[in-house]
Amino acid sequence: MEINNAKYVISNVDVDKCPQGNAPEYAFIGRSNVGKSSLINMLTRRKALAKTSQIPGKTLLINHFSINDGEWNIVDLPGYGFAARGKKQREEIDRIIRSYILRREQLTCLFVLLDVRHKPQKVDMDFLRWLGENGVPFAIIFTKADKLSKTAVSANVDFYRKELLKEWEELPPVFITSSEKKTGREELLGFIDDTNAAVREQCGETEDSEN
Ligand code: GTP
Ligand code: MG
């Protein structure tokens, strides 16, 4: 699959005000500064579709982008667990994220981003556990692979897999990416394409509709 066009639609804090329609939706989440917005720009080949920043806490809203004339949606979410934000704002962001994840029916897969340089962190493990408890479909995306050697990337990913297998019977899909080097783009778009096809099949649609 290729992304032919990507359009910013709307930003809001209220899941009830998110766009209507039944286009499959893929949301990107993870700690602040992990590279969510950069990855969205890499996938869509746009420099500044999603706003990025070196300072953590840039994305504070649920941001909707429409892909290929409404075929599917990308959602850029705020980062979780950002200490410098202060307790009140952190709780508010947490509430926005969690209500979006639990109530958004169009959410087809949540991509949880993890910085490949870091060892598993409690805030991420807690978040993944919460997804499991709530039956949220998700996949893991390791980011910033350009910042380590190939060997170090494999070692860190293997370590992560082992840690996850202590708690989980099976692993979700795992992707290794670099927005800087455009690594992992085809694999991710391929996964989204396959998932979209599965959704269409589930909805009983055929490829050639009434035209
Ligand atoms: P918040 O919206 O604040 O939660 O952050 P975010 O997860 O959207 O991160 P963002 O995409 O804004 O990127 C944060 C910083 O990491 C920026 O300085 C990016 O340039 C940098 N960055 C993101 N992805 C990569 C990558 O693959 N490689 C490298 N080297 N830097 C990256
Ligand atoms: Mg962001």
Side-chain angles (χ1 to χ4, degrees):
M1 182 195 27
E2 195 37 87
I3 292 183
N4 301 316
N5 62 69
K7 200 179 87 199
Y8 166 73
V9 183
I10 195 169
S11 301
N12 62 71
V13 292
D14 185 352
V15 61
D16 294 325
K17 296 198 179 118
C18 287
Q20 301 299 307
N22 51 12
E25 194 155 294
Y26 299 83
F28 294 75
I29 196 153
R31 260 180 303 142
S32 265
N33 216 43
V34 70
K36 301 175 289 293
S37 303
S38 303
L39 185 68
I40 290 170
N41 293 335
M42 186 270 261
L43 289 176
T44 55
R45 292 193 206 275
R46 293 273 293 273
K47 261 202 195 107
L49 183 69
K51 292 194 182 89
T52 64
S53 169
Q54 287 176 305
I55 303 155
K58 178 72 187 172
T59 310
L60 295 171
L61 301 162
I62 304 167
N63 301 291
H64 268 83
F65 304 94
S66 165
I67 310 298
N68 292 349
D69 301 310
E71 212 180 288
W72 53 284
N73 289 333
I74 282 179
V75 173
D76 190 11
L77 291 170
Y80 54 71
F82 179 42
R85 244 181 219 144
K87 190 159 182 266
K88 202 152 175 242
Q89 197 187 22
R90 207 165 58 230
E91 282 173 358
E92 176 60 10
I93 297 272
D94 225 51
R95 193 192 58 74
I96 293 167
I97 291 171
R98 286 173 198 253
S99 70
Y100 167 82
I101 292 172
L102 295 180
R103 292 180 41 217
R104 182 70 173 163
E105 284 175 13
Q106 293 89 336
L107 180 62
T108 305
C109 182
L110 182 69
F111 290 118
V112 181
L113 275 60
L114 301 168
D115 189 322
V116 78
R117 294 172 298 173
H118 302 149
K119 289 266 150 17
Q121 314 252 319
K122 186 173 184 299
V123 66
D124 294 316
M125 298 305 263
D126 288 351
F127 184 73
L128 292 171
R129 194 173 308 119
W130 180 79
L131 293 179
E133 284 163 5
N134 287 285
V136 179
F138 70 94
I140 289 177
I141 300 182
F142 288 99
T143 62
K144 309 195 184 184
D146 59 286
K147 295 216 181 206
L148 290 180
S149 70
K150 275 204 172 136
T151 333
V153 166
S154 319
N156 284 5
V157 171
D158 280 351
F159 186 83
Y160 226 111
R161 283 184 205 273
K162 284 194 192 111
E163 283 300 300
L164 287 172
L165 284 171
K166 288 182 186 168
E167 276 188 48
W168 297 75
E169 276 175 34
E170 53 182 329
L171 292 175
V174 170
F175 300 91
I176 297 169
T177 66
S178 158
S179 298
E180 196 76 17
K181 294 271 191 299
K182 311 212 182 320
T183 313
R185 185 174 185 275
E186 269 183 38
E187 289 83 353
L188 257 177
L189 290 181
F191 172 79
I192 292 172
D193 203 22
D194 292 348
T195 309
N196 284 343
V199 170
R200 277 198 299 274
E201 206 162 284
Q202 247 178 17
C203 296
E205 274 180 37
T206 46
E207 286 294 317
D208 47 323
S209 52
E210 299 125 50
N211 49 13

